[in-house]
Amino acid sequence: MAKTLFKNAKLVSSDFKSSDHKMAFIVEDGRFSWIGAQNKIPKKQKFQKEFDLMNKLVLPSFIECHTHSVFAGSRAEEFELRNTGVSYLEIAARGGGILSTMKKTRDESAAKLVKKTQMHVDQFLKQGVSTLEIKSGYALDLKNEIKSLEVIKKLKGPRFVSTFLGAHALPPEFKTHAEYLDYLVETVLPVVKKKKLAERVDIFIEQKFFEKGPAEQFLKKAKQMGFQITIHANQLSLSGGVDLALQLNAQSADHSIYLTDDLIQKFSKSKTVAVLLPAADLYMKCAYPPARKLLDAGATVALATDFNPGSCPTQDLSLVGLLARLEMKMTLPEVFTAYTSSAAKALGIFQDEGDFSLGKRANFICTDADLSDFFYSAGATPDHFLFICGKAVRRN
Ligand code: NIG
Ligand code: FE
């Protein structure tokens, strides 16, 4: 098995509070097989490759755990409407919002979607993202939801986690949400499963979108079919989405802006991760989630962009971290944790990546910058090299 030695690393501690000089590690078959002090490198070992990291800082690469990166068109004109006072729900009621992206996505060829989405992927990769979650949810019919998920399979660069978000909004072909959810369970999910196009199922629980009751039946059926679940929860109101996520042991409850003290306590006792999306909150001009209360209670908090053409047309991780620090009182180590190990937990892949543990994928960033240079300047990621499974992927 090919072994690569990385030496002279300034390895960041697991709590992102300090770093140890003169560390080394060995990567075998894409995974960490040994980590230790520079002067303890196992002797009598043959290395196929050696990298001298020249005392650069080495930290886990980023895991972006919530995006809607497959879509056609833009909603730039809608931004101006919202900014002049027309609400998100009003725009949706006029046939704009998610349904306007749906029309464009249905009409777009798979090849064009692959090209456009790959550009988004490259933008994440440039910022040190080694694992990227992407949801479907802008097609809302069998043919085009499958098309969207198949697009994800054709992308290159990071590791991808695909999520089926057919339950994003009610498409015009259906009169009621219940009928549409039945169609998803009976007609779409079996194909997603058979073709192995997604491991997870998501739903947008909110008034005028999907209500808690029908969502519960839908998610229970998805679970029975072997999907993991995640929920767009409590973004615009106390919609019951977080309660349901906790009740069903969902991997994550995303947005989680409207929370009672009781829900915060329940979060802290559960494995469900609160995925917070402050760049979307900035664009939506809504309150920021109570990150401090969640963290102080002991809940697991992850951060992500929520990149999509409507509520969050930015892919900027630095802005997300900056807002978490400025507006949500998160410390810098908490932001790093939220974008690495906690994001891995949100995607159910923490046994495989998210920190420097033996046996995990050797995904890391090395840089001449300090930790304090990250999540500091909006729009800027410090220069770095990204390694995925021990292989240099790109320099930024
Ligand atoms: O996470 N809230 C639901 N879905 C997206 C927005 C989708 C859109 O506006 O296109 C979100 O904010
Ligand atoms: Fe989202």
Side-chain angles (χ1 to χ4, degrees), residues 21 24 40 63 80 85 130 138 163 199 203 208 363 378 387 394:
H21 291 255
K40 297 263 165 56
I63 297 174
E80 179 68 1
S130 54
Y138 283 122
T163 307
E199 303 90 53
I203 183 166
K208 306 250 163 56
N363 295 348
F387 287 80
R394 66 167 296 139

Side-chain angles (χ1 to χ4, degrees), residues 66 68 232 255 306:
H66 181 135
H68 306 251
H232 274 73
H255 288 286
D306 194 18

